[in-house]
Structure formats: structure tokens, C-alpha cells
Amino acid sequence: MNEKLKVYLIKINYEIQKNTLKEFLNISIINHCMKYKLCRKQYDSLYAFYILRKIYLNEFNIDINNFKLKENEYGKPYFDNLYFNISNSMNYIAIAISKKEVGIDIEFLFNIKEKKEYERFILTKKELAEFSLLEDKRKYLLTKWCQKESYFKFKGTGIDFQSLKINIKKKGLFKYLNLNNDLACIYIYCKYNLNDFVIDLNYN
């Protein structure tokens, strides 16, 4: 099956109060979002599910408040028979909705600091050889980070530095965007074969 998948990319509106967001979500979703220790993470998660509910209502006539949000053994949230994945970075939320399991990651070049030596933590020997020959090393690291993050989110197994250092054979798709005067990468993995994905920048 070759399909085109839509990604919804939304800039977070921090003017909406946290309690207002909670009013739009059921208790299982709220409990999941409030498990984060940082208030900023709680808000970003609440906002993401607030937008996710709007998308499902408007695009599919489905109210996620009628479902209980569950978590797998690694903490990945899911609803029975609904497949979605969420990523956020630099005040942006990226949401992928699919017919089957899906993983998405968004990251900005700004977060790939030159002095952090990310290559030591995320690249395999084969990738390090490629990396050493490149002029634009930060862009390569940005893409590889997004690839591996989205792959393990797709697998639902969580991610750590040990799992990052593997060569991923399964093909995913990625695109670059200019946001916040910076380069952003969005990477997608899905259980069916994607030939493309589109990015909706105007959803509200």
C-alpha cells in the first residue's frame, strides 16, 4: 500500500490557560499529560492533545474523548484502533495520523550544538565514516537524530543512547522546513509504504 500521509504542524499558543485546555480533554488524557515533571512539558502535551482532538473531530468525525488513552510498557500513548504520533520542539507541535502505527519527530538545527559532539552518541561506525566526509555536519546530525527518534517512536520501544547507535535499514521519509528563521527536519516512519507526506501549516 502506497499512500500520502498528512502531518499537522502547529505553533503552540501559550496564551491559552492550562485549565482551559483541560476542559477540552477527558481524564485519561489529562492524567497522561500531567505525569511530566516540568510545567512546560505538561502544557505542551495538553496543547498537543487539544489539537489532536480538534483534528479527529474536524477531519474524521471522531471524538477522542470517547476513548481511554492508554500507554504501552514503554509509555507510548495510544487509543485502541486509532494511530497517531506527536512530536514537539521549539514551540512547534507535529502530529501524524495514520491507518497503522506511525512515528514522527521534529527537531531544529538550533538544538544541534557544535561543541556537544552528538556524533559520539548517535552515529554508528558506518555513519561516522559518512559524517567525517561531509561539510555540513550539523545538518547530517539533525537528520540522523530525527530518523532514529521517529523510528523508535514508530516501534513504540522508547529510546536511549544505546539504541541510537544502530543502523536503521527500514526506509522512512523526511522533509526540511524553514521555521523560526532556522532549519527544521520532520521525519516519518509508518507501518505501510509511504511515497510522500504533506505538511499542513495552516491548521487551527
Side-chain angles (χ1 to χ4, degrees):
M1 180 188 297
N2 292 291
E3 294 198 14
K4 185 177 287 188
L5 183 146
K6 181 184 281 189
V7 170
Y8 301 87
L9 187 61
I10 302 101
K11 192 166 187 177
I12 300 173
N13 179 5
Y14 287 104
E15 294 182 1
I16 303 176
Q17 297 297 311
K18 183 186 289 187
N19 287 336
T20 301
L21 294 174
K22 288 181 179 180
E23 292 175 2
F24 286 90
L25 303 170
N26 71 30
I27 190 63
S28 68
I29 299 172
I30 294 171
N31 286 342
H32 168 79
C33 298
M34 299 306 290
K35 288 174 66 174
Y36 293 106
K37 293 181 180 180
L38 296 177
C39 290
R40 173 69 175 269
K41 290 282 289 181
Q42 292 173 0
Y43 186 95
D44 290 355
S45 185
L46 286 167
Y47 191 87
F49 278 98
Y50 162 75
I51 294 295
L52 183 70
R53 186 184 179 209
K54 290 178 67 175
I55 293 170
Y56 267 113
L57 278 170
N58 294 340
E59 303 292 327
F60 307 100
N61 198 29
I62 295 172
D63 189 349
I64 61 173
N65 274 351
N66 294 329
F67 298 80
K68 181 179 180 180
L69 184 66
K70 302 176 182 180
E71 297 178 0
N72 73 5
E73 60 182 304
Y74 300 98
K76 180 179 179 178
Y78 70 95
F79 298 107
D80 288 335
N81 301 316
L82 297 179
Y83 301 98
F84 69 94
N85 202 229
I86 298 168
S87 178
N88 69 285
S89 181
M90 302 284 288
N91 301 340
Y92 276 89
I93 291 173
I95 299 175
I97 295 176
S98 174
K99 294 180 180 178
K100 293 186 178 181
E101 290 291 350
V102 63
I104 186 171
D105 191 55
I106 179 172
E107 191 53 83
F108 284 78
L109 192 63
F110 174 84
N111 290 323
I112 308 297
K113 310 295 186 185
E114 290 185 12
K115 296 182 180 180
K116 292 288 186 179
E117 297 184 346
Y118 287 99
E119 64 273 16
R120 293 173 49 209
F121 304 104
I122 68 174
L123 299 184
T124 65
K125 290 182 179 179
K126 178 182 177 182
E127 291 165 344
L128 279 169
E130 296 174 351
F131 175 79
S132 65
L133 300 174
L134 297 173
E135 290 187 13
D136 196 342
K137 290 179 167 56
R138 288 178 68 215
K139 186 176 180 180
Y140 182 83
L141 288 171
L142 169 70
T143 310
K144 282 297 177 181
W145 176 269
C146 282
Q147 178 196 26
K148 297 185 179 188
E149 183 89 18
S150 61
Y151 177 74
F152 287 105
K153 290 178 71 179
F154 155 70
K155 297 287 286 184
T157 57
I159 193 166
D160 55 38
F161 283 118
Q162 184 175 357
S163 60
L164 281 170
K165 292 180 74 67
I166 68 165
N167 291 303
I168 298 172
K169 295 180 180 180
K170 180 177 173 62
K171 185 180 179 181
L173 290 177
F174 67 94
K175 291 185 178 181
Y176 299 115
L177 299 90
N178 286 310
L179 299 170
N180 289 350
N181 296 315
D182 193 18
L183 181 71
C185 178
I186 293 179
Y187 219 113
I188 293 279
Y189 274 95
C190 193
K191 203 163 188 176
Y192 55 78
N193 293 324
L194 287 175
N195 55 20
D196 194 11
F197 67 91
V198 296
I199 301 173
D200 186 338
L201 287 162
N202 300 308
Y203 196 86
N204 53 48

PDB file of all heavy atoms in Angstrom, residues 69-103:
ATOM      1  N   LEU A  69      -7.260   6.932  26.906  1.00  0.00           N
ATOM      2  CA  LEU A  69      -5.865   6.975  26.477  1.00  0.00           C
ATOM      3  C   LEU A  69      -5.068   5.968  27.300  1.00  0.00           C
ATOM      4  O   LEU A  69      -5.063   6.015  28.532  1.00  0.00           O
ATOM      5  CB  LEU A  69      -5.279   8.373  26.653  1.00  0.00           C
ATOM      6  CG  LEU A  69      -3.848   8.558  26.137  1.00  0.00           C
ATOM      7  CD1 LEU A  69      -3.793   8.403  24.623  1.00  0.00           C
ATOM      8  CD2 LEU A  69      -3.289   9.918  26.544  1.00  0.00           C
ATOM      9  N   LYS A  70      -4.402   5.061  26.597  1.00  0.00           N
ATOM     10  CA  LYS A  70      -3.604   4.027  27.257  1.00  0.00           C
ATOM     11  C   LYS A  70      -2.134   4.255  26.953  1.00  0.00           C
ATOM     12  O   LYS A  70      -1.779   5.070  26.102  1.00  0.00           O
ATOM     13  CB  LYS A  70      -4.030   2.638  26.767  1.00  0.00           C
ATOM     14  CG  LYS A  70      -5.513   2.332  26.998  1.00  0.00           C
ATOM     15  CD  LYS A  70      -5.883   0.976  26.411  1.00  0.00           C
ATOM     16  CE  LYS A  70      -7.364   0.680  26.600  1.00  0.00           C
ATOM     17  NZ  LYS A  70      -7.739  -0.639  26.019  1.00  0.00           N
ATOM     18  N   GLU A  71      -1.277   3.528  27.642  1.00  0.00           N
ATOM     19  CA  GLU A  71       0.164   3.593  27.407  1.00  0.00           C
ATOM     20  C   GLU A  71       0.707   2.181  27.297  1.00  0.00           C
ATOM     21  O   GLU A  71       0.289   1.289  28.046  1.00  0.00           O
ATOM     22  CB  GLU A  71       0.878   4.320  28.554  1.00  0.00           C
ATOM     23  CG  GLU A  71       0.478   5.772  28.722  1.00  0.00           C
ATOM     24  CD  GLU A  71       1.182   6.423  29.908  1.00  0.00           C
ATOM     25  OE1 GLU A  71       1.977   5.724  30.576  1.00  0.00           O
ATOM     26  OE2 GLU A  71       0.943   7.605  30.160  1.00  0.00           O
ATOM     27  N   ASN A  72       1.648   1.967  26.361  1.00  0.00           N
ATOM     28  CA  ASN A  72       2.285   0.658  26.305  1.00  0.00           C
ATOM     29  C   ASN A  72       3.351   0.574  27.402  1.00  0.00           C
ATOM     30  O   ASN A  72       3.517   1.505  28.197  1.00  0.00           O
ATOM     31  CB  ASN A  72       2.842   0.358  24.909  1.00  0.00           C
ATOM     32  CG  ASN A  72       4.094   1.170  24.578  1.00  0.00           C
ATOM     33  OD1 ASN A  72       4.644   1.905  25.407  1.00  0.00           O
ATOM     34  ND2 ASN A  72       4.566   1.046  23.358  1.00  0.00           N
ATOM     35  N   GLU A  73       4.082  -0.521  27.455  1.00  0.00           N
ATOM     36  CA  GLU A  73       5.034  -0.737  28.545  1.00  0.00           C
ATOM     37  C   GLU A  73       6.169   0.281  28.564  1.00  0.00           C
ATOM     38  O   GLU A  73       6.851   0.448  29.575  1.00  0.00           O
ATOM     39  CB  GLU A  73       5.606  -2.143  28.462  1.00  0.00           C
ATOM     40  CG  GLU A  73       6.354  -2.444  27.165  1.00  0.00           C
ATOM     41  CD  GLU A  73       6.854  -3.868  27.104  1.00  0.00           C
ATOM     42  OE1 GLU A  73       7.590  -4.287  28.019  1.00  0.00           O
ATOM     43  OE2 GLU A  73       6.483  -4.568  26.129  1.00  0.00           O
ATOM     44  N   TYR A  74       6.355   0.988  27.445  1.00  0.00           N
ATOM     45  CA  TYR A  74       7.410   1.992  27.373  1.00  0.00           C
ATOM     46  C   TYR A  74       6.865   3.413  27.522  1.00  0.00           C
ATOM     47  O   TYR A  74       7.603   4.378  27.394  1.00  0.00           O
ATOM     48  CB  TYR A  74       8.166   1.871  26.056  1.00  0.00           C
ATOM     49  CG  TYR A  74       8.820   0.522  25.879  1.00  0.00           C
ATOM     50  CD1 TYR A  74       8.206  -0.477  25.120  1.00  0.00           C
ATOM     51  CD2 TYR A  74      10.040   0.237  26.478  1.00  0.00           C
ATOM     52  CE1 TYR A  74       8.800  -1.717  24.956  1.00  0.00           C
ATOM     53  CE2 TYR A  74      10.641  -1.005  26.324  1.00  0.00           C
ATOM     54  CZ  TYR A  74      10.021  -1.981  25.568  1.00  0.00           C
ATOM     55  OH  TYR A  74      10.609  -3.212  25.414  1.00  0.00           O
ATOM     56  N   GLY A  75       5.573   3.508  27.762  1.00  0.00           N
ATOM     57  CA  GLY A  75       4.965   4.814  27.977  1.00  0.00           C
ATOM     58  C   GLY A  75       4.403   5.484  26.749  1.00  0.00           C
ATOM     59  O   GLY A  75       3.948   6.632  26.823  1.00  0.00           O
ATOM     60  N   LYS A  76       4.420   4.801  25.589  1.00  0.00           N
ATOM     61  CA  LYS A  76       3.863   5.402  24.382  1.00  0.00           C
ATOM     62  C   LYS A  76       2.342   5.458  24.498  1.00  0.00           C
ATOM     63  O   LYS A  76       1.683   4.447  24.708  1.00  0.00           O
ATOM     64  CB  LYS A  76       4.242   4.590  23.148  1.00  0.00           C
ATOM     65  CG  LYS A  76       3.686   5.188  21.854  1.00  0.00           C
ATOM     66  CD  LYS A  76       4.080   4.377  20.626  1.00  0.00           C
ATOM     67  CE  LYS A  76       3.483   4.978  19.355  1.00  0.00           C
ATOM     68  NZ  LYS A  76       3.892   4.250  18.139  1.00  0.00           N
ATOM     69  N   PRO A  77       1.737   6.647  24.347  1.00  0.00           N
ATOM     70  CA  PRO A  77       0.278   6.768  24.468  1.00  0.00           C
ATOM     71  C   PRO A  77      -0.427   6.283  23.205  1.00  0.00           C
ATOM     72  O   PRO A  77       0.082   6.454  22.092  1.00  0.00           O
ATOM     73  CB  PRO A  77       0.063   8.273  24.676  1.00  0.00           C
ATOM     74  CG  PRO A  77       1.223   8.906  23.978  1.00  0.00           C
ATOM     75  CD  PRO A  77       2.383   7.959  24.150  1.00  0.00           C
ATOM     76  N   TYR A  78      -1.597   5.676  23.394  1.00  0.00           N
ATOM     77  CA  TYR A  78      -2.377   5.222  22.239  1.00  0.00           C
ATOM     78  C   TYR A  78      -3.843   5.070  22.613  1.00  0.00           C
ATOM     79  O   TYR A  78      -4.201   4.917  23.793  1.00  0.00           O
ATOM     80  CB  TYR A  78      -1.833   3.891  21.696  1.00  0.00           C
ATOM     81  CG  TYR A  78      -2.067   2.704  22.610  1.00  0.00           C
ATOM     82  CD1 TYR A  78      -3.180   1.867  22.445  1.00  0.00           C
ATOM     83  CD2 TYR A  78      -1.176   2.405  23.645  1.00  0.00           C
ATOM     84  CE1 TYR A  78      -3.398   0.791  23.280  1.00  0.00           C
ATOM     85  CE2 TYR A  78      -1.388   1.328  24.482  1.00  0.00           C
ATOM     86  CZ  TYR A  78      -2.498   0.514  24.297  1.00  0.00           C
ATOM     87  OH  TYR A  78      -2.719  -0.555  25.138  1.00  0.00           O
ATOM     88  N   PHE A  79      -4.690   5.161  21.606  1.00  0.00           N
ATOM     89  CA  PHE A  79      -6.095   4.803  21.715  1.00  0.00           C
ATOM     90  C   PHE A  79      -6.302   3.524  20.906  1.00  0.00           C
ATOM     91  O   PHE A  79      -5.690   3.352  19.849  1.00  0.00           O
ATOM     92  CB  PHE A  79      -6.999   5.902  21.129  1.00  0.00           C
ATOM     93  CG  PHE A  79      -6.901   7.229  21.811  1.00  0.00           C
ATOM     94  CD1 PHE A  79      -6.260   8.298  21.187  1.00  0.00           C
ATOM     95  CD2 PHE A  79      -7.444   7.440  23.061  1.00  0.00           C
ATOM     96  CE1 PHE A  79      -6.171   9.538  21.793  1.00  0.00           C
ATOM     97  CE2 PHE A  79      -7.361   8.674  23.686  1.00  0.00           C
ATOM     98  CZ  PHE A  79      -6.729   9.730  23.051  1.00  0.00           C
ATOM     99  N   ASP A  80      -7.163   2.651  21.377  1.00  0.00           N
ATOM    100  CA  ASP A  80      -7.457   1.440  20.616  1.00  0.00           C
ATOM    101  C   ASP A  80      -7.970   1.808  19.225  1.00  0.00           C
ATOM    102  O   ASP A  80      -8.914   2.590  19.077  1.00  0.00           O
ATOM    103  CB  ASP A  80      -8.509   0.590  21.341  1.00  0.00           C
ATOM    104  CG  ASP A  80      -7.945  -0.087  22.582  1.00  0.00           C
ATOM    105  OD1 ASP A  80      -6.724  -0.307  22.636  1.00  0.00           O
ATOM    106  OD2 ASP A  80      -8.736  -0.391  23.499  1.00  0.00           O
ATOM    107  N   ASN A  81      -7.324   1.230  18.203  1.00  0.00           N
ATOM    108  CA  ASN A  81      -7.750   1.364  16.797  1.00  0.00           C
ATOM    109  C   ASN A  81      -7.582   2.770  16.217  1.00  0.00           C
ATOM    110  O   ASN A  81      -8.084   3.060  15.125  1.00  0.00           O
ATOM    111  CB  ASN A  81      -9.207   0.923  16.624  1.00  0.00           C
ATOM    112  CG  ASN A  81      -9.416  -0.522  17.051  1.00  0.00           C
ATOM    113  OD1 ASN A  81      -8.617  -1.386  16.720  1.00  0.00           O
ATOM    114  ND2 ASN A  81     -10.480  -0.771  17.805  1.00  0.00           N
ATOM    115  N   LEU A  82      -6.882   3.659  16.919  1.00  0.00           N
ATOM    116  CA  LEU A  82      -6.542   4.968  16.373  1.00  0.00           C
ATOM    117  C   LEU A  82      -5.015   5.104  16.411  1.00  0.00           C
ATOM    118  O   LEU A  82      -4.396   4.831  17.434  1.00  0.00           O
ATOM    119  CB  LEU A  82      -7.177   6.107  17.177  1.00  0.00           C
ATOM    120  CG  LEU A  82      -8.703   6.179  17.209  1.00  0.00           C
ATOM    121  CD1 LEU A  82      -9.138   7.358  18.074  1.00  0.00           C
ATOM    122  CD2 LEU A  82      -9.278   6.314  15.816  1.00  0.00           C
ATOM    123  N   TYR A  83      -4.436   5.522  15.302  1.00  0.00           N
ATOM    124  CA  TYR A  83      -2.982   5.558  15.208  1.00  0.00           C
ATOM    125  C   TYR A  83      -2.504   6.985  14.963  1.00  0.00           C
ATOM    126  O   TYR A  83      -2.853   7.605  13.955  1.00  0.00           O
ATOM    127  CB  TYR A  83      -2.503   4.636  14.091  1.00  0.00           C
ATOM    128  CG  TYR A  83      -2.934   3.207  14.308  1.00  0.00           C
ATOM    129  CD1 TYR A  83      -4.065   2.699  13.668  1.00  0.00           C
ATOM    130  CD2 TYR A  83      -2.236   2.374  15.174  1.00  0.00           C
ATOM    131  CE1 TYR A  83      -4.480   1.394  13.885  1.00  0.00           C
ATOM    132  CE2 TYR A  83      -2.635   1.069  15.397  1.00  0.00           C
ATOM    133  CZ  TYR A  83      -3.757   0.580  14.746  1.00  0.00           C
ATOM    134  OH  TYR A  83      -4.159  -0.708  14.963  1.00  0.00           O
ATOM    135  N   PHE A  84      -1.723   7.477  15.895  1.00  0.00           N
ATOM    136  CA  PHE A  84      -1.217   8.841  15.814  1.00  0.00           C
ATOM    137  C   PHE A  84       0.141   8.887  16.497  1.00  0.00           C
ATOM    138  O   PHE A  84       0.521   7.988  17.247  1.00  0.00           O
ATOM    139  CB  PHE A  84      -2.172   9.822  16.500  1.00  0.00           C
ATOM    140  CG  PHE A  84      -2.215   9.646  17.999  1.00  0.00           C
ATOM    141  CD1 PHE A  84      -1.403  10.406  18.822  1.00  0.00           C
ATOM    142  CD2 PHE A  84      -3.045   8.702  18.580  1.00  0.00           C
ATOM    143  CE1 PHE A  84      -1.412  10.228  20.203  1.00  0.00           C
ATOM    144  CE2 PHE A  84      -3.064   8.511  19.957  1.00  0.00           C
ATOM    145  CZ  PHE A  84      -2.251   9.279  20.768  1.00  0.00           C
ATOM    146  N   ASN A  85       0.880   9.947  16.253  1.00  0.00           N
ATOM    147  CA  ASN A  85       2.110  10.190  16.987  1.00  0.00           C
ATOM    148  C   ASN A  85       2.356  11.688  17.018  1.00  0.00           C
ATOM    149  O   ASN A  85       1.996  12.412  16.085  1.00  0.00           O
ATOM    150  CB  ASN A  85       3.296   9.451  16.362  1.00  0.00           C
ATOM    151  CG  ASN A  85       4.434   9.248  17.352  1.00  0.00           C
ATOM    152  OD1 ASN A  85       5.582   9.542  17.059  1.00  0.00           O
ATOM    153  ND2 ASN A  85       4.139   8.735  18.534  1.00  0.00           N
ATOM    154  N   ILE A  86       2.956  12.137  18.098  1.00  0.00           N
ATOM    155  CA  ILE A  86       3.154  13.565  18.346  1.00  0.00           C
ATOM    156  C   ILE A  86       4.622  13.832  18.655  1.00  0.00           C
ATOM    157  O   ILE A  86       5.272  13.060  19.358  1.00  0.00           O
ATOM    158  CB  ILE A  86       2.284  14.029  19.534  1.00  0.00           C
ATOM    159  CG1 ILE A  86       0.790  13.844  19.229  1.00  0.00           C
ATOM    160  CG2 ILE A  86       2.583  15.479  19.896  1.00  0.00           C
ATOM    161  CD1 ILE A  86      -0.101  14.010  20.443  1.00  0.00           C
ATOM    162  N   SER A  87       5.127  14.942  18.148  1.00  0.00           N
ATOM    163  CA  SER A  87       6.472  15.396  18.496  1.00  0.00           C
ATOM    164  C   SER A  87       6.432  16.908  18.645  1.00  0.00           C
ATOM    165  O   SER A  87       5.631  17.582  17.995  1.00  0.00           O
ATOM    166  CB  SER A  87       7.469  15.000  17.399  1.00  0.00           C
ATOM    167  OG  SER A  87       8.769  15.475  17.709  1.00  0.00           O
ATOM    168  N   ASN A  88       7.282  17.432  19.505  1.00  0.00           N
ATOM    169  CA  ASN A  88       7.330  18.890  19.616  1.00  0.00           C
ATOM    170  C   ASN A  88       8.755  19.367  19.844  1.00  0.00           C
ATOM    171  O   ASN A  88       9.594  18.671  20.423  1.00  0.00           O
ATOM    172  CB  ASN A  88       6.404  19.409  20.725  1.00  0.00           C
ATOM    173  CG  ASN A  88       6.881  19.050  22.114  1.00  0.00           C
ATOM    174  OD1 ASN A  88       6.764  17.908  22.538  1.00  0.00           O
ATOM    175  ND2 ASN A  88       7.424  20.024  22.827  1.00  0.00           N
ATOM    176  N   SER A  89       9.022  20.565  19.344  1.00  0.00           N
ATOM    177  CA  SER A  89      10.319  21.205  19.507  1.00  0.00           C
ATOM    178  C   SER A  89      10.181  22.686  19.203  1.00  0.00           C
ATOM    179  O   SER A  89       9.462  23.070  18.279  1.00  0.00           O
ATOM    180  CB  SER A  89      11.345  20.575  18.555  1.00  0.00           C
ATOM    181  OG  SER A  89      12.621  21.171  18.706  1.00  0.00           O
ATOM    182  N   MET A  90      10.842  23.505  19.994  1.00  0.00           N
ATOM    183  CA  MET A  90      10.927  24.941  19.731  1.00  0.00           C
ATOM    184  C   MET A  90       9.555  25.577  19.490  1.00  0.00           C
ATOM    185  O   MET A  90       9.331  26.303  18.523  1.00  0.00           O
ATOM    186  CB  MET A  90      11.834  25.193  18.529  1.00  0.00           C
ATOM    187  CG  MET A  90      13.246  24.660  18.691  1.00  0.00           C
ATOM    188  SD  MET A  90      14.266  25.666  19.769  1.00  0.00           S
ATOM    189  CE  MET A  90      14.539  27.096  18.751  1.00  0.00           C
ATOM    190  N   ASN A  91       8.585  25.282  20.364  1.00  0.00           N
ATOM    191  CA  ASN A  91       7.240  25.866  20.311  1.00  0.00           C
ATOM    192  C   ASN A  91       6.378  25.347  19.160  1.00  0.00           C
ATOM    193  O   ASN A  91       5.306  25.899  18.896  1.00  0.00           O
ATOM    194  CB  ASN A  91       7.279  27.390  20.233  1.00  0.00           C
ATOM    195  CG  ASN A  91       7.991  28.017  21.423  1.00  0.00           C
ATOM    196  OD1 ASN A  91       8.127  27.392  22.470  1.00  0.00           O
ATOM    197  ND2 ASN A  91       8.448  29.243  21.258  1.00  0.00           N
ATOM    198  N   TYR A  92       6.827  24.310  18.476  1.00  0.00           N
ATOM    199  CA  TYR A  92       6.041  23.699  17.410  1.00  0.00           C
ATOM    200  C   TYR A  92       5.649  22.273  17.786  1.00  0.00           C
ATOM    201  O   TYR A  92       6.421  21.560  18.435  1.00  0.00           O
ATOM    202  CB  TYR A  92       6.818  23.668  16.094  1.00  0.00           C
ATOM    203  CG  TYR A  92       6.723  24.953  15.305  1.00  0.00           C
ATOM    204  CD1 TYR A  92       7.635  25.979  15.524  1.00  0.00           C
ATOM    205  CD2 TYR A  92       5.707  25.149  14.366  1.00  0.00           C
ATOM    206  CE1 TYR A  92       7.549  27.170  14.800  1.00  0.00           C
ATOM    207  CE2 TYR A  92       5.618  26.336  13.649  1.00  0.00           C
ATOM    208  CZ  TYR A  92       6.541  27.329  13.869  1.00  0.00           C
ATOM    209  OH  TYR A  92       6.450  28.505  13.157  1.00  0.00           O
ATOM    210  N   ILE A  93       4.449  21.881  17.362  1.00  0.00           N
ATOM    211  CA  ILE A  93       3.971  20.515  17.531  1.00  0.00           C
ATOM    212  C   ILE A  93       3.716  19.921  16.158  1.00  0.00           C
ATOM    213  O   ILE A  93       3.072  20.548  15.303  1.00  0.00           O
ATOM    214  CB  ILE A  93       2.667  20.482  18.357  1.00  0.00           C
ATOM    215  CG1 ILE A  93       2.955  20.861  19.806  1.00  0.00           C
ATOM    216  CG2 ILE A  93       2.015  19.098  18.297  1.00  0.00           C
ATOM    217  CD1 ILE A  93       1.720  21.013  20.653  1.00  0.00           C
ATOM    218  N   ALA A  94       4.237  18.718  15.935  1.00  0.00           N
ATOM    219  CA  ALA A  94       3.986  17.974  14.702  1.00  0.00           C
ATOM    220  C   ALA A  94       3.165  16.739  15.052  1.00  0.00           C
ATOM    221  O   ALA A  94       3.530  15.985  15.958  1.00  0.00           O
ATOM    222  CB  ALA A  94       5.293  17.563  14.044  1.00  0.00           C
ATOM    223  N   ILE A  95       2.054  16.554  14.346  1.00  0.00           N
ATOM    224  CA  ILE A  95       1.153  15.431  14.603  1.00  0.00           C
ATOM    225  C   ILE A  95       0.960  14.647  13.317  1.00  0.00           C
ATOM    226  O   ILE A  95       0.626  15.214  12.272  1.00  0.00           O
ATOM    227  CB  ILE A  95      -0.216  15.922  15.120  1.00  0.00           C
ATOM    228  CG1 ILE A  95      -0.054  16.678  16.444  1.00  0.00           C
ATOM    229  CG2 ILE A  95      -1.181  14.748  15.287  1.00  0.00           C
ATOM    230  CD1 ILE A  95      -1.353  17.301  16.954  1.00  0.00           C
ATOM    231  N   ALA A  96       1.175  13.335  13.392  1.00  0.00           N
ATOM    232  CA  ALA A  96       0.903  12.439  12.277  1.00  0.00           C
ATOM    233  C   ALA A  96      -0.251  11.525  12.648  1.00  0.00           C
ATOM    234  O   ALA A  96      -0.273  10.961  13.749  1.00  0.00           O
ATOM    235  CB  ALA A  96       2.135  11.610  11.934  1.00  0.00           C
ATOM    236  N   ILE A  97      -1.224  11.388  11.747  1.00  0.00           N
ATOM    237  CA  ILE A  97      -2.355  10.480  11.934  1.00  0.00           C
ATOM    238  C   ILE A  97      -2.357   9.499  10.779  1.00  0.00           C
ATOM    239  O   ILE A  97      -2.226   9.890   9.617  1.00  0.00           O
ATOM    240  CB  ILE A  97      -3.683  11.257  12.008  1.00  0.00           C
ATOM    241  CG1 ILE A  97      -3.696  12.147  13.261  1.00  0.00           C
ATOM    242  CG2 ILE A  97      -4.872  10.297  12.023  1.00  0.00           C
ATOM    243  CD1 ILE A  97      -4.923  13.030  13.379  1.00  0.00           C
ATOM    244  N   SER A  98      -2.499   8.220  11.112  1.00  0.00           N
ATOM    245  CA  SER A  98      -2.313   7.177  10.123  1.00  0.00           C
ATOM    246  C   SER A  98      -3.345   6.072  10.298  1.00  0.00           C
ATOM    247  O   SER A  98      -4.082   6.036  11.277  1.00  0.00           O
ATOM    248  CB  SER A  98      -0.895   6.605  10.266  1.00  0.00           C
ATOM    249  OG  SER A  98      -0.696   5.493   9.435  1.00  0.00           O
ATOM    250  N   LYS A  99      -3.382   5.145   9.330  1.00  0.00           N
ATOM    251  CA  LYS A  99      -4.237   3.958   9.419  1.00  0.00           C
ATOM    252  C   LYS A  99      -3.556   2.840  10.199  1.00  0.00           C
ATOM    253  O   LYS A  99      -4.208   1.878  10.599  1.00  0.00           O
ATOM    254  CB  LYS A  99      -4.603   3.462   8.019  1.00  0.00           C
ATOM    255  CG  LYS A  99      -5.472   4.423   7.229  1.00  0.00           C
ATOM    256  CD  LYS A  99      -5.778   3.861   5.856  1.00  0.00           C
ATOM    257  CE  LYS A  99      -6.651   4.824   5.050  1.00  0.00           C
ATOM    258  NZ  LYS A  99      -6.908   4.307   3.676  1.00  0.00           N
ATOM    259  N   LYS A 100      -2.231   2.963  10.363  1.00  0.00           N
ATOM    260  CA  LYS A 100      -1.474   1.971  11.108  1.00  0.00           C
ATOM    261  C   LYS A 100      -0.408   2.696  11.938  1.00  0.00           C
ATOM    262  O   LYS A 100      -0.340   3.918  11.934  1.00  0.00           O
ATOM    263  CB  LYS A 100      -0.837   0.963  10.152  1.00  0.00           C
ATOM    264  CG  LYS A 100      -1.848   0.085   9.429  1.00  0.00           C
ATOM    265  CD  LYS A 100      -1.159  -1.002   8.613  1.00  0.00           C
ATOM    266  CE  LYS A 100      -2.189  -1.896   7.928  1.00  0.00           C
ATOM    267  NZ  LYS A 100      -1.548  -2.985   7.139  1.00  0.00           N
ATOM    268  N   GLU A 101       0.400   1.921  12.649  1.00  0.00           N
ATOM    269  CA  GLU A 101       1.401   2.511  13.527  1.00  0.00           C
ATOM    270  C   GLU A 101       2.261   3.533  12.791  1.00  0.00           C
ATOM    271  O   GLU A 101       2.658   3.328  11.644  1.00  0.00           O
ATOM    272  CB  GLU A 101       2.307   1.421  14.104  1.00  0.00           C
ATOM    273  CG  GLU A 101       1.630   0.511  15.112  1.00  0.00           C
ATOM    274  CD  GLU A 101       1.289   1.209  16.411  1.00  0.00           C
ATOM    275  OE1 GLU A 101       1.742   2.361  16.621  1.00  0.00           O
ATOM    276  OE2 GLU A 101       0.560   0.612  17.219  1.00  0.00           O
ATOM    277  N   VAL A 102       2.556   4.630  13.483  1.00  0.00           N
ATOM    278  CA  VAL A 102       3.309   5.716  12.873  1.00  0.00           C
ATOM    279  C   VAL A 102       4.205   6.356  13.928  1.00  0.00           C
ATOM    280  O   VAL A 102       3.888   6.355  15.127  1.00  0.00           O
ATOM    281  CB  VAL A 102       2.343   6.768  12.261  1.00  0.00           C
ATOM    282  CG1 VAL A 102       1.476   7.418  13.326  1.00  0.00           C
ATOM    283  CG2 VAL A 102       3.094   7.812  11.461  1.00  0.00           C
ATOM    284  N   GLY A 103       5.335   6.866  13.488  1.00  0.00           N
ATOM    285  CA  GLY A 103       6.243   7.596  14.362  1.00  0.00           C
ATOM    286  C   GLY A 103       6.693   8.869  13.677  1.00  0.00           C
ATOM    287  O   GLY A 103       6.932   8.883  12.469  1.00  0.00           O
TER     288      GLY A 103
END
